[in-house]
Amino acid sequence: MKCLLIASESAEVLFYWTDPEFELNIQEQYGASQEEGEKPPAFEDSINTLFAPIIISCSTMVDRLGDSYTSFSTENNHTYVLHQFEECLYIAVNGDREEGEEDLKRKIYVMKKMIEVLFGMVTLSSTLIRKELRPQDTEQRTNLWKYLQNLLETYSRLQEQDQSFLVEAVERLIHPTLCEQCIEFLERRLVQQINSSVERAGEEVLHAFILVHTKLLAFYSSRNASTLTSSDLLALIIMVQNMYPSNIDLEDTAPEDVENTSAPDIFYTPEPSPTNRDSGTDRDSVNSGRHEESRHESRHEESWHEESCHEESCHEESCHEESCHVGSGTPVFQFLDPDIQMAEDSLQTLEAPPPDPSNPSRVFLEVMLKEGCYPMMPHSMYCLPLWPGITLVLLTKIPNSNLAMSVYVFLEAFAKLEKRLSEGLEGSAARGQTSIQDLRNKLDKFIRALGTSDIQTSQLQSVWTEFKSRAFTRGGPGFSKDLVPWCRTMKSQLCGVYRQCFITENTVGGGNPQRLSPSLQDRALTMVQEKLMDWKDFLLVKSKRNITMVSYLEEFPGLIHFIYVDRTAGQMIAPSLNITDRATSELGKGPLAHFIKGKVWGLVNTSRIYLQKGYSTVTLRDGDYFFCYFLWFENETGYKLEVKDLPILPNDSAPIGMLAWDYYRKLLRYYSKSHQGEVVKCYELLTVHLGVIPTEYILQHCSQLARKLWEPSRIPLL
């Protein structure tokens, strides 16, 4: 019984997602009242009818009280969480008690993050984002909503099964030798050849990385590229997993069941490499890789390296924990009444068209330059499937991306001016005549430059002319509150220009006319396949067991599980938790393994509750288990800095994490204020021990484990 809805202030549905139970409940509720022979209402209409009173109530409270409720529970134990972003109201519902208020809030913020990645600065204009989320064309709206629904389902699956999405940090595949070779290959061959090709249509590859399921094998950024934030990288991994989901239900299928499977392109179990090529080097490469894996684990080289985002890594817990895309969600074909199938609720039964790898997706990511931070800058993302479970991702800079930076600078300037005028600081705005005059000159030049292109600027020109006459003409009102509506109109017009340049000709999940040529993409794909051909089976196995607890048990008796997170780099490391009906993990098979996994997920949620209250250390005993959580700061040399009180967050603050809202970036800025001129790093450690271990030994284990995991992380990959 789950639902997520986005609606306008006028109760117009902009997007919705429901699970089958919620959908069935709605259909029974509103279909039962229909007379015999009468068509049932469209599902979208039923959703609108159900939520309209809540939406109108929220709008009324905001208008009359300047405040609204953020959550409530009903008599039938349904929990509702609401959040208003500008003029869009997000509502998340749970009726089976599987999700609490924090889970629903996190889902809302993640959905908002994904929409920002897909639509960029258009989200800053309520009018434009409403048009984008609810296109007039029914087929286009169907495809868009289905795409967003699939993204939300993909995130929910990863968050429930994958430790990296549980703690919202990325994890790389632990094999330093192969990682180093792949990074060098991406730099010196792949990226260099693409960027020097005449077939790149003006695009430039900024980032290239290889994913094995959701773990990063290698990540390379060109010298001209900004660092890719962990938040954006996690969002991109969700998109890749949505395009090419890992089908572990089939991977774990017993051999006798394989012949009954109807999906021909799914891999089942890795096959050994051939032995008759290059004097047996193929088999040796896989075997040596496995031996090397064992040696690296015994030396505890599983820890990631403290690197910049140029070598950022991502993790997927295990391909045993993912769900099969073919059999999940609503089936493609359903036996429905023909009248119902023609209704608008057919949105629920339609599947989005399969992705074309040669068509890039337009994504909007944060860019950090010397001049400052520029959020939601346009990029093209190419997802090239090497083999099932292994994907090459290219992020390119598009030719007119500088226009987006100019738009952001103007938007920020008008937002600041609007704020000062709204607060009654007309004098402050007037005294800033130098910056205002500079803004005027730059915007005049910007509009003149746009006039030479195909972009429609007549409305922007008209609004800007009116703004200047009011602000700068002697007989005009000058800088007063009367300019506030015109500031908002200017922001909307600038977002409209941004939309024309980067959204209009690009369909979400589809392609755009300016892209790397298909032949260039094919050559890139072939190059990487040839490089990894002898390693692919090893990598698929390695992705399921990146590191294991076996090598830690002798030194840390009683330790059951741990998660170590470098919040500065946005990377994590943890032993694999492979829990499926067919696979046996180190924790065994069946109830015990699922029980421990549930305890780990619960510990993370508990630690966030205390972190929100300002606690950096949590120790608690739960039956036969003892849990620990630590957050601390270090300098570049690994020296632990003194403990400082953490800020206490209000209950309505954004959820703690790095995907939807980077809490740790703000925390590092807060702590660095007292350590000027010093590089400050933030770490977290979560451990689960057997409760019979004395507390003093557990705390000693945690300290030793943190040191052991930190030391190898200083070894560079390249």
Side-chain angles (χ1 to χ4, degrees), residues 481-492:
K481 285 189 176 181
D482 294 337
L483 272 184
V484 169
W486 291 97
C487 288
R488 294 171 182 168
T489 306
M490 278 300 302
K491 290 192 297 180
S492 180

Side-chain angles (χ1 to χ4, degrees), residues 50-90:
L50 176 67
F51 285 98
I54 300 173
I55 299 169
I56 295 171
S57 175
C58 280
S59 300
T60 303
M61 291 185 67
V62 171
D63 290 340
R64 298 187 179 181
L65 303 178
D67 199 2
S68 182
Y69 37 72
T70 57
S71 64
F72 62 86
S73 298
T74 60
E75 291 183 352
N76 60 355
N77 295 317
H78 281 55
T79 302
Y80 290 71
V81 173
L82 307 89
H83 201 287
Q84 186 96 22
F85 294 104
E86 297 298 332
E87 297 178 15
C88 294
L89 179 64
Y90 287 64

